Amino acid sequence: RHDGYSWVPTDTLPSPPLGFCTFNNDLYALGGFNIDTCRYGMMKWTGSSWMPVGKLSTSFGYSYMKTATVFNGQMIIGGRFMSVNGINIEYLAKWDGVNWSAFSGSVLCSWQSQPSINDVYASGGYVYISGVFDQVCGQVAFCCAKWNGMSWTPLNIGIGIYANKCTSYSSSVYVAGGFSNAGGATSQAIAQNVGGGWQSVGNGAKIFGQTSAVYQGKLYVA
């Protein structure tokens, strides 16, 4: 961690984290963490050590939690998992700090053996998800969708592609990933959603967009 002047080491994590999220003034590391014979999707920072949270099924193969956001007072978590703490929760979960539950419904993918949620992002009263999927809660949605608190709206990018990071910038939502076309618009690795439709962003980024952020009025993509 950085204290404003220098880097300070923290207690070691069992494996490299895939992301972080703050919730109720606590810091959580997300990933797939093996401790003894169990696998956990999150590690909570206590101020001096990491505490495992969210036990995942080990029968599913490489299960992990990758991304999280806070929406309506709860943490919404996405990744690649089939159960949390013994509860049947697939790919999208809710955590209120004590209890786990499923968020909305199931996620399916016809072109991969398992779907994955690569980003969960809250902005403007919506939750956006992006990843590798073609159906969310019975709604056809190709790799991107938004939730208004009651139902899903598809923001179809394309079939057989990878959508990674969602970021809100200048009243639009941008998605970075591995694609050259978004909803019929030529969009190389980064696309802009305007009014539910996709537009290209200049010449885009060569090969692959992994993550993005807004800093001092500018959109950054890596």
Side-chain angles (χ1 to χ4, degrees):
R1 65 188 187 273
H2 198 266
D3 62 8
Y5 300 96
S6 59
W7 289 101
V8 181
T10 67
D11 190 31
T12 302
L13 281 165
S15 59
L18 300 176
F20 289 96
C21 186
T22 56
F23 176 60
N24 288 345
N25 295 318
D26 291 316
L27 175 67
Y28 292 84
L30 299 122
F33 308 104
N34 294 323
I35 301 175
D36 297 327
T37 59
C38 298
R39 186 173 182 85
Y40 295 89
M42 298 197 305
M43 300 290 284
K44 178 181 176 181
W45 178 246
T46 66
S48 59
S49 62
W50 294 100
M51 180 179 72
V53 180
K55 186 177 178 181
L56 304 179
S57 171
T58 56
S59 62
F60 182 58
Y62 186 61
S63 299
Y64 55 80
M65 292 179 175
K66 183 175 184 179
T67 176
T69 193
V70 178
F71 181 73
N72 289 344
Q74 294 184 313
M75 189 191 294
I76 311 301
I77 303 112
R80 186 168 174 257
F81 48 85
M82 295 295 286
S83 71
V84 185
N85 283 7
I87 305 169
N88 183 32
I89 301 174
E90 299 180 8
Y91 306 103
L92 282 168
K94 281 193 300 187
W95 166 249
D96 63 7
V98 178
N99 301 304
W100 289 95
S101 59
F103 178 65
S104 176
S106 61
V107 180
L108 302 174
C109 184
S110 62
W111 69 84
Q112 287 277 8
S113 57
Q114 287 113 13
S116 66
I117 303 299
N118 294 333
D119 194 32
V120 178
Y121 178 72
S123 178
Y126 294 97
V127 172
Y128 295 84
I129 63 169
S130 53
V132 181
F133 55 85
D134 56 16
Q135 189 178 119
V136 180
C137 197
Q139 175 81 44
V140 174
F142 297 122
C143 299
C144 190
K146 69 177 181 179
W147 169 260
N148 64 7
M150 298 181 63
S151 61
W152 288 101
T153 299
L155 298 175
N156 297 324
I157 296 179
I159 300 174
I161 60 96
Y162 291 78
N164 290 321
K165 178 69 175 153
C166 298
T167 305
S168 180
Y169 173 66
S170 187
S171 73
S172 296
V173 171
Y174 292 75
V175 174
F179 51 84
S180 59
N181 184 290
T186 300
S187 305
Q188 184 65 46
I190 179 81
Q192 177 187 10
N193 191 271
V194 180
W198 293 100
Q199 297 180 2
S200 60
V201 183
N203 292 325
K206 190 175 182 179
I207 303 177
F208 203 85
Q210 183 66 37
T211 189
S212 58
V214 174
Y215 177 66
Q216 294 185 348
K218 291 183 172 60
L219 176 67
Y220 291 77
V221 179

